[in-house]
Amino acid sequence: MTHAPLHLTDSDFDAYAPEKSTSNAYSRPRLEVKQRALAWARGVITRLAELGITVDVHGSDEHPTLRNKKRVECQWVFFWRDAAAREELERLLDAGRSISAAIDDPSPYGRHAFLALQIASHGVEVCFAVHPEAKVDIDNLRARLAAKDAAEGTGPTALAAELTAALRALPEQFAVGVGADRVAASAATPEAIEAMLERAAEGQVPLWIGWAVPREVALEHAEILDEQLEDALLALAPIYTLVAWSRQNDHIALDRRLEGIERERARTHAEASAQTEKWQAEQAAARERSLAEAKARGEAEGPRVSALPFGFGARAGHGAPRRPSLDTLFKPSQKAEGERDRRGGKPQEARAPQAPAAPREREQTPAPPRVAPAPAAPAPAPAASSNTSAAAPTTMEKGARVRVLSGPFADKIGVLGELDGRGGARVLLGLLSTRIEVTDLALVPEGRERPAIQSSHRRPTAPMPRKAR
């Protein structure tokens, strides 16, 4: 792994105990867990981007707020649509939403399908979830499940079969369900998922697909847990791609609705701009009329003689006071000039800046001549070791070490559990057990699962001759 590890400990899980969920006194340890989780999530974002899935990452609040109903029972790290895709759908999702519903649930995460990491007092889990409030994604999923064969009119099409195959490809530890009612992901059928969606809508809880790790197991396998959680999220990426709506995964003709909304938005914007321009033109015409009326009144009344006393704002022989200008505003008065002449003061002449002295040139001493090193003696050939590694196995059998060649577990080394006789094999990868095609596996020679560590030290060379004095 190239990202920061989670390093979950007992104190991390204790920070989310029910008796501490409403207290701000434990916000600091929860904030530390959140920061580590967000740093760990950067590696997941990079791997998802390699699969063509662009997501933003966000963490839930670590202190009691309105969004978590004043209780911090867990820490969420969400992987959901980027800002541009969310903004495109928010106009549809907010169209029929009342103000009371927005106040009751101000969190925006439930209105989008997402991948997530959750840390609670009882354990840690990774999942894909879609809430009934995510109407666009729910409708897209229902359209995929309800699609029928166009030729016969019965039976699921390739759309539903594709989702079922993706669920069966998940490791054995993955489950699907609503709330605490969960079944193995490999046993899910389109009819079962449709029934789960009905229960989710009744209870206003999300449809959940994922892997939960109890606290004791997570602490026991803390060294490999971070990498296993990352691989599990990558295994859920195909489910996210098939369920979450996008312009490439549009089964509800939402593209045309979005185009209509964009046209309506452009028309409303044009009308508002026209009204603004009309108002600005009316205001400009009103100003022009006011100036013309003021000018006409001034010409009718004629020039006015200043009512100020002589010498106070007006000069002798001039009826109107002289307006200040830039020349008279910053020019010293005659009184100040005369006062300075009586005192004999003279303005100081600006002192010319002196050029900085040139730096003294360093005395450079010639470097001593370099003496070419004597050629190093050839290193003796290493003696053949009597302890050679065992020969690589030529056939796959139970207990053999294998390397995964493709998929979310690519480059991982596991143990071959059994062969199913249909071209597949059950491979144990740490805490996970999954079925992988034999063609995507390669045997690992005993003692050669890791490359030899090359030394970074150079071979010592012959000492350089000392310079003759």
Side-chain angles (χ1 to χ4, degrees), residues 364-372 464 466-468:
Q364 299 183 356
T365 57
R370 300 181 64 180
V371 180
M464 296 178 61
R466 300 180 61 183
K467 182 179 178 182

Side-chain angles (χ1 to χ4, degrees), residues 153-467:
T154 59
T157 63
L159 297 177
E162 190 177 8
L163 178 61
T164 305
L167 289 172
R168 292 177 180 174
L170 293 173
E172 298 175 0
Q173 290 75 15
F174 281 61
V176 55
V178 177
D181 184 12
R182 299 175 181 178
V183 297
S186 58
T189 61
E191 294 78 13
I193 297 175
E194 183 65 36
M196 293 177 187
L197 290 176
E198 294 294 338
R199 295 199 302 271
E202 294 175 359
Q204 287 297 301
V205 291
L207 172 67
W208 184 93
I209 305 172
W211 175 43
V213 183
R215 173 174 176 171
E216 296 76 13
V217 178
L219 294 175
E220 182 181 358
H221 301 276
E223 295 182 357
I224 64 172
L225 180 64
D226 300 352
E227 187 174 0
Q228 295 270 280
L229 294 175
E230 181 179 339
D231 294 339
L233 274 175
L234 266 291
L236 289 168
I239 308 296
Y240 177 86
T241 305
L242 294 175
V243 176
W245 180 90
S246 65
R247 293 190 181 272
Q248 296 77 24
N249 184 40
D250 184 9
H251 304 294
I252 54 177
L254 185 61
D255 200 356
R256 292 193 295 270
R257 294 173 58 188
L258 289 175
E259 291 177 357
I261 291 177
E262 289 297 332
R263 289 194 297 268
E264 181 66 20
R265 185 183 181 187
R267 186 184 63 81
T268 304
H269 179 72
E271 292 177 356
S273 299
Q275 293 178 0
T276 302
E277 293 177 358
K278 180 181 178 181
W279 177 83
Q280 291 176 350
E282 292 175 353
Q283 295 296 319
R287 287 194 297 268
E288 291 292 338
R289 289 195 301 269
S290 298
L291 291 177
E293 292 174 359
K295 185 176 180 181
R297 287 195 302 267
E299 292 177 354
E301 295 177 0
R304 293 184 178 181
V305 179
S306 175
L308 297 176
F310 177 76
F312 189 84
R315 294 186 180 183
H318 299 274
R322 187 182 64 175
R323 294 184 178 180
S325 63
L326 293 177
D327 296 335
T328 61
L329 186 61
F330 297 101
K331 183 177 180 181
S333 62
Q334 294 181 358
K335 182 178 179 181
E337 292 286 347
E339 184 68 22
R340 187 174 60 188
D341 293 341
R342 286 195 301 272
R343 294 182 180 180
K346 296 182 179 181
Q348 289 186 347
E349 297 180 358
R351 184 175 299 174
Q354 297 181 0
R360 297 181 59 186
E361 298 182 357
R362 294 185 177 180
E363 296 180 359
Q364 299 183 356
T365 57
R370 300 181 64 180
V371 180
S385 175
S386 59
N387 298 328
T388 58
S389 60
T394 57
T395 59
M396 289 191 180
E397 57 185 8
K398 186 176 181 179
R401 295 174 61 84
V402 292
R403 183 187 300 276
V404 184
L405 301 179
S406 62
F409 304 101
D411 295 331
K412 297 296 187 296
I413 296 178
V415 178
L416 188 63
E418 58 185 9
L419 299 173
D420 58 9
R422 301 188 304 271
R426 181 170 169 268
V427 182
L428 304 178
L429 299 168
L431 300 176
L432 298 174
S433 174
T434 183
R435 181 186 180 279
I436 302 176
E437 297 294 331
V438 176
T439 55
D440 294 333
L441 299 175
L443 291 171
V444 176
E446 294 295 333
R448 292 295 184 182
E449 65 272 10
R450 293 184 178 179
I453 301 177
Q454 301 294 336
S455 175
S456 60
H457 299 284
R458 297 179 178 178
R459 182 179 299 171
T461 58
M464 296 178 61
R466 300 180 61 183
K467 182 179 178 182

Side-chain angles (χ1 to χ4, degrees), residues 47-69:
R47 294 184 63 181
L48 288 175
E50 295 174 354
L51 300 178
I53 303 176
T54 304
V55 295
D56 286 347
V57 62
H58 193 82
S60 59
D61 295 333
E62 72 281 358
H63 55 280
T65 61
L66 181 63
R67 286 182 293 202
N68 52 36
K69 302 184 185 301

